[in-house]
Amino acid sequence: MRLIPFFIALATGAQDFTVIPESIHQGEILRLRAPKDIQSARLGTMKVPLFPHGEAAAGLLPVRVLEKPGVYKLEFLNQAGAVIHTTSVTVLDAHYPRQNIVISKELSELKASPGESESMAAFRKQISAVQQWREPFQLPVAGCMTSLFGVLRYHNGKPTGDFHGGIDQRSPQGAPIRAITAGTIVVAQQFNLRGGTVGIDHGQGLESVYMHMSKVIAVEGQRVKAGDVIGQIGSTGRSTGPHLHWSLYAFGEPVNPAQWTKPESCTPAKKHRTKI
């Protein structure tokens, strides 16, 4: 299911409450529209701000990958925190598959650089008010996809207890990596675990991360447009071969990039057990 662009239409001054879609899979994003006096929305424990868009308010609300399937109450709140409008949203089981990755002992024991985890956590927490992203998004590389979003990860046959928070695309060493849409470079670093890493703030809670680069070209503070080259394909950090791992975040939660863009799979969906 692809998200339907509607933010441009908000300038018409419509004052209704809109939720797209009303049924959503785990790890996907809801798009919300409300009267301009609405400040935030809440689904379970996830609360997000809404932003002015013409004569209305709008925003994105991620459904966590591990959210239990079921019917949830979605609440719209005013500045005082009072609930002004309530509707229901159905969260569907995404049935994410399992994937075994074969890695060396050296890679399995690789540790993060000092400050690496803290830097990325701080990046995911920041929220900028200006929307820079525009649709359609483009793929950062042209290669096929070797690992789906949301798969339960095993290393050498043993469960890691974690899921894959992005997608992996195969691409040759040194190939250019491009920004999926406009934004500001917040992270541009060489890390131990993630390798060459770029993090882009696209505004209003939406961010993207690109990892395992052989060369980081973007610099922190730089404004980029969709398609601008931000780095080159590599196999740095915890990686078994040249590829790009990239992730999309909404208010710090990893969400499925397949809602926004569709990379071609290297193998049928039921056989996603390839080495990256």
Side-chain angles (χ1 to χ4, degrees), residues 24-28 65 67 69 91-97 149-150 256:
I24 188 169
H25 288 97
Q26 297 159 311
E28 294 183 340
V65 173
E67 197 75 73
V91 176
L92 305 172
D93 192 333
H95 297 290
Y96 291 118
F149 171 86
N256 194 349

Side-chain angles (χ1 to χ4, degrees), residues 15-148:
Q15 293 294 297
D16 58 325
F17 291 87
T18 304
V19 180
I20 300 177
E22 295 179 357
S23 296
I24 188 169
H25 288 97
Q26 297 159 311
E28 294 183 340
I29 287 177
L30 291 166
R31 294 198 181 200
L32 310 178
R33 183 178 70 185
K36 61 182 179 181
D37 60 331
I38 297 299
Q39 299 290 308
S40 60
R42 181 169 59 208
L43 183 79
T45 60
M46 176 61 67
K47 183 180 178 182
V48 299
L50 301 184
F51 300 91
H53 281 262
E55 294 302 314
L60 306 172
L61 193 156
V63 173
R64 294 184 176 97
V65 173
L66 300 180
E67 197 75 73
K68 292 183 179 180
V71 178
Y72 287 79
K73 180 169 63 175
L74 174 62
E75 300 171 316
F76 291 86
L77 296 81
N78 65 12
Q79 189 171 9
V83 176
I84 303 301
H85 179 76
T86 302
T87 187
S88 62
V89 170
T90 301
V91 176
L92 305 172
D93 192 333
H95 297 290
Y96 291 118
R98 298 177 180 178
Q99 181 188 40
N100 183 50
I101 304 297
V102 179
I103 61 175
S104 67
K105 185 174 184 291
E106 180 183 11
L107 282 181
S108 68
E109 296 176 349
L110 188 64
K111 304 299 182 183
S113 307
E116 177 177 342
S117 298
E118 293 81 1
S119 294
M120 296 309 297
F123 165 72
R124 291 191 297 270
K125 286 181 180 179
Q126 77 170 43
I127 301 171
S128 56
V130 177
Q131 179 188 334
Q132 298 186 58
W133 58 271
R134 294 291 183 271
E135 295 180 82
F137 288 7
Q138 67 172 52
L139 289 169
V141 295
C144 64
M145 179 174 58
T146 60
S147 184
L148 295 163

